[in-house]
């Protein structure tokens, strides 16, 4: 099947097997390996990306049926100019092995942008679709609260 | 995943909407369609929330997240908002459509494991769940062929609120049916889960605005988010001077389909919501339960879930 996709502002035209998930397309075809494959069944959140600004699971999204612009972890900041949420994860040591981190950051960004980063209970609920087997949850929470304050000050 | 062809021709099934159940089951080889009809282009005409005096009509491809965020839903249909926000994860709620959600397949682990015999997945192969790990499976509505429970949250609230579906067939004709008439008991055909005919597509869900004035969805689970219901209960009712004029009580998590408790409902008509009446209704809700040795606790869990819902519905 023919498909045109916008990923991080770049338009890609390609021929697709209808079985291809957005996750495999990002990693295997577009070489955007920041997005991680954890469970591959929609249970862990490691593959979280944004479609038109909303957090979705790229492992359950067939690329051929995608409608919208994709943003991945590679699209929100660079090594020289990281996004405030990336800086906050570094500052608060919000990971151990780091495998779930790109998904955590993409969910955290939605959490803040959609106004769900008020009380810590609200953040925990909104982040509940992202598992961290190293259990860095406390530091992830601290990073989100800190990034929220930075991002609100920048508005 | 087995290869398949995909088109977006209207009127052909099976249908792919949000994909959060179907793509998962296809990866597990539990479902192996030769062909899929991609509905993504139908978001243009099936993603809406309209209201008139009598009903709120919701397009079938509205996402769970969008429905939960709607102001009318938050104010008039609290059971719907609550069922949606306690279901799945934020990412899945951004993808999954409401019609796809009510058609969600069971989470029975034997159904999801292609190495276990399962009458739902492969008719006539037997049921591995009976006598197996049944903690999360049904105690109401089982058959000797299947004890898989219906896992969803939204459908429980929709049955309580007497919501109606608008269904279009492949020849273009449209029929209405109550959500309560959608899910089948397993009987000796557990692979037939709904009363939809081949090629039929749910296009809208209507919530009546004039029938009930209070509703609640109460869910009990192993962890406080991103988990399926061990037991849940939706209640919708209408009061006049504290006396119940109309009520529906529906159980989730415990049964093979959304489970209406008609005896319990009848027992509360004309009554005040007082503790004796609530206790009696909760007992009636579970009167037909047939738990196995490992499921005994689910009867009491179910009763207490109903009591909690009835005690909280007016708050």
């Amino acid at each position: 099947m023919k498909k045109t996709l916008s990923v991080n502002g770049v338009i890609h035209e390609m021929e697709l097997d209808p079985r291809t998930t957005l996750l495999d397309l990002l990693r295997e075809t577009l070489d955007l390996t920041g997005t991680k494959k954890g469970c591959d069944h929609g249970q862990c959140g490691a593959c979280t990306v944004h479609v038109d600004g909303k957090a979705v699971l790229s492992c359950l999204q067939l690329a051929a049926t995608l409608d919208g612009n994709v943003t991945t972890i590679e699209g929100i900041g660079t090594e020289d100019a990281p996004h405030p949420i990336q800086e906050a994860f570094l500052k608060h040591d919000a990971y151990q092995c780091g495998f779930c981190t790109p998904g955590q950051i993409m969910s955290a960004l939605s959490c803040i942008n959609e106004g769900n980063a008020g009380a810590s209970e609200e953040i925990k609920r909104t982040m509940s679709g992202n598992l961290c087997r190293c259990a860095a949850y406390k530091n992830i929470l601290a990073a989100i609260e800190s990034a929220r304050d930075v991002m609100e000050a920048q508005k | 995943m087995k290869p398949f062809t995909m088109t977006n021709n209207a009127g052909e099934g099976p249908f792919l909407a949000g994909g959060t159940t179907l793509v998962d089951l296809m990866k597990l080889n539990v479902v192996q369609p030769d062909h899929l009809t991609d509905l993504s282009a139908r978001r243009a005409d099936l993603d809406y929330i309209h209201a008139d005096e009598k009903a709120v009509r919701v397009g079938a491809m509205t996402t769970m997240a969008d429905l939960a965020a709607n102001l009318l839903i938050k104010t008039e249909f609290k059971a719907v908002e609550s069922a949606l926000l306690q279901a799945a994860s934020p990412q899945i709620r951004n993808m999954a459509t409401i019609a796809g959600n009510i058609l969600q397949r069971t989470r029975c682990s034997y159904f999801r494991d292609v190495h276990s015999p399962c009458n739902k997945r492969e008719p006539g192969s037997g049921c591995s769940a009976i006598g197996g790990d049944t903690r999360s499976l049904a105690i109401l509505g089982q058959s000797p062929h299947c004890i898989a429970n219906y896992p969803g949250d939204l459908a429980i609230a929709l049955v309580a609120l007497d919501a109606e579906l608008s269904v279009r067939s492949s020849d273009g004709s449209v029929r209405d049916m109550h959500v309560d008439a959608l899910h089948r008991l397993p009987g000796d055909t557990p692979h037939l889960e709904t009363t939809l005919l081949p090629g039929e597509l749910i296009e809208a869900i209507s919530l009546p605005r004039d029938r009930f004035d209070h509703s609640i969805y109460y869910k009990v689970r192993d962890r406080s988010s991103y988990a399926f219901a061990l037991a849940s209960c939706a209640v919708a009712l209408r009061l006049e001077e504290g006396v119940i004029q109309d009520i529906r009580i529906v159980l989730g998590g415990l049964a093979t389909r959304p489970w209406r408790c008609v005896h319990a409902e009848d027992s509360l008509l004309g009554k005040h919501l007082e503790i004796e009446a609530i206790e009696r209704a909760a007992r009636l809700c579970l009167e037909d339960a047939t738990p196995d040795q490992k499921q005994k606790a689910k009867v009491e869990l179910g009763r207490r879930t109903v009591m909690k819902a009835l005690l909280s519905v007016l708050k």
Side-chain angles (χ1 to χ4, degrees):
Chain A
M1 306 180 72
K2 278 211 187 323
K3 183 76 183 175
T4 305
L5 277 181
S6 161
V7 181
N8 299 331
V10 180
I11 307 289
H12 301 270
E13 284 182 43
M14 62 197 83
E15 188 66 33
L16 277 180
D17 183 316
R19 291 175 289 183
T20 313
T21 60
L22 175 59
L23 175 60
D24 286 340
L25 179 85
L26 293 170
R27 292 182 55 84
E28 308 294 333
T29 308
L30 303 182
D31 210 21
L32 293 169
T33 53
T35 305
K36 297 294 186 264
K37 182 181 280 196
C39 70
D40 207 24
H41 286 279
Q43 297 172 6
C44 77
C47 68
T48 303
V49 299
H50 290 185
V51 174
D52 290 343
K54 288 185 178 167
V56 301
L57 300 174
S58 60
C59 77
L60 292 182
Q61 173 70 55
L62 294 183
T65 67
L66 183 70
D67 183 17
N69 299 313
V70 180
T71 307
T72 69
I73 188 74
E74 290 91 347
I76 65 166
T78 62
E79 209 163 333
D80 297 332
H83 190 282
I85 185 78
Q86 291 172 309
E87 283 184 333
F89 267 66
L90 285 166
K91 183 177 155 203
H92 290 272
D93 196 21
Y95 41 75
Q96 195 177 112
C97 80
F99 191 83
C100 72
T101 309
Q104 298 280 0
I105 287 178
M106 296 311 283
S107 279
L109 195 51
S110 302
C111 175
I112 296 169
N113 286 341
E114 290 168 13
N116 295 322
S120 62
E121 282 310 307
E122 190 183 20
I123 298 174
K124 288 181 194 171
R125 249 198 325 275
T126 310
M127 293 297 294
S128 66
N130 290 76
L131 305 187
C132 171
R133 291 299 300 268
C134 309
Y137 294 112
K138 232 181 135 181
N139 293 6
I140 292 170
L141 180 61
I144 294 172
E145 287 174 334
S146 141
R148 171 200 63 203
D149 295 343
V150 171
M151 287 166 68
E152 274 172 10
Q154 286 177 352
K155 266 185 190 168
Chain B
M1 197 187 297
K2 201 180 121 186
F4 58 90
T5 56
M6 189 155 59
T7 59
N8 53 13
N9 299 334
E12 279 179 54
F15 300 104
L16 177 67
T20 51
T21 291
L22 189 52
V23 173
D24 178 30
L25 291 176
M26 286 164 64
K27 287 185 180 192
L28 295 169
N29 289 323
V30 170
V31 179
Q32 299 185 311
D34 296 320
H35 177 79
L36 282 179
T37 298
D38 167 26
L39 293 174
S40 51
R42 297 295 307 275
R43 285 190 197 271
D45 64 307
L46 295 182
D47 177 4
Y48 61 84
I49 302 170
H50 293 159
D52 63 21
E53 272 177 26
K54 285 200 164 324
V56 175
R57 189 175 168 91
V58 186
M61 293 199 67
T62 304
T63 62
M64 294 169 74
D66 284 348
L67 187 61
N70 181 271
L71 195 59
L72 266 176
I73 297 298
K74 283 178 184 295
T75 49
E76 290 185 32
F77 303 100
K78 289 197 190 308
V80 170
E81 182 203 14
S82 171
L84 287 165
L85 291 182
Q86 292 185 76
S89 66
Q91 294 100 310
I92 290 175
R93 296 197 296 269
N94 279 337
M95 303 170 77
T97 65
I98 54 162
N101 180 257
I102 64 176
L103 295 172
Q104 170 175 24
R105 310 293 301 274
T106 183
R107 301 297 295 189
C108 175
S109 55
Y110 302 98
F111 169 72
R112 290 172 60 82
D113 168 28
V114 290
H115 304 293
S116 301
C118 169
N119 288 321
K120 191 183 276 300
R121 193 181 62 249
E122 202 180 326
S125 63
C127 175
S128 307
I130 295 172
D133 181 3
T134 56
R135 179 174 179 267
S136 65
L137 301 176
I139 59 169
L140 287 161
Q142 320 94 302
S143 81
H145 307 283
C146 183
I147 61 170
N149 64 329
Y150 176 76
D153 298 298
L154 175 62
I156 310 303
L158 293 177
V159 172
L161 289 158
D162 198 20
E164 227 177 7
L165 303 174
S166 175
V167 176
R168 187 180 294 274
S169 79
S170 48
D171 68 14
S173 62
V174 175
R175 66 174 174 130
D176 293 336
M177 70 154 104
H178 292 275
V179 177
D180 193 26
L182 177 65
H183 297 94
R184 292 173 182 250
L185 289 169
D188 52 12
T189 54
H191 59 292
L192 300 177
E193 294 179 347
T194 73
T195 55
L196 292 175
L197 302 169
E200 277 191 326
L201 180 69
I202 298 171
E203 290 198 328
I205 299 175
S206 287
L207 288 154
R209 296 180 80 178
D210 46 4
R211 172 124 188 225
F212 301 106
D213 46 28
H214 295 83
S215 73
I216 190 170
Y217 181 73
Y218 190 81
K219 179 173 178 177
V220 177
R221 44 185 165 167
D222 283 334
R223 52 176 190 254
S224 65
S225 70
Y226 204 12
F228 289 94
L230 275 175
S232 70
C233 178
V235 174
L237 58 78
R238 183 165 52 83
L239 292 177
E240 263 172 41
E241 292 176 2
V243 177
I244 297 171
Q245 308 294 314
D246 192 2
I247 183 164
R248 277 200 174 188
I249 306 173
V250 186
L251 298 179
L254 295 165
T256 52
R257 51 155 286 162
W259 193 262
R260 249 191 93 184
C261 306
V262 178
H263 285 167
E265 294 168 4
D266 290 345
S267 79
L268 286 168
L269 285 177
K271 303 257 171 43
H272 288 85
L273 265 184
E274 288 168 345
I275 188 71
E276 293 80 14
I278 288 174
E279 278 176 344
R280 182 175 145 76
R283 274 197 307 277
L284 286 170
C285 286
L286 277 297
E287 65 181 343
D288 294 328
T290 52
D292 71 16
Q293 284 300 323
K294 296 175 196 160
Q295 294 175 313
K296 294 255 158 94
K298 299 184 78 166
V299 179
E300 185 59 26
L301 183 70
R303 279 193 204 112
R304 292 185 190 196
T305 304
V306 173
M307 286 189 62
K308 186 76 182 177
L310 287 167
L311 286 166
S312 315
V313 64
L314 300 184
K315 283 178 189 161

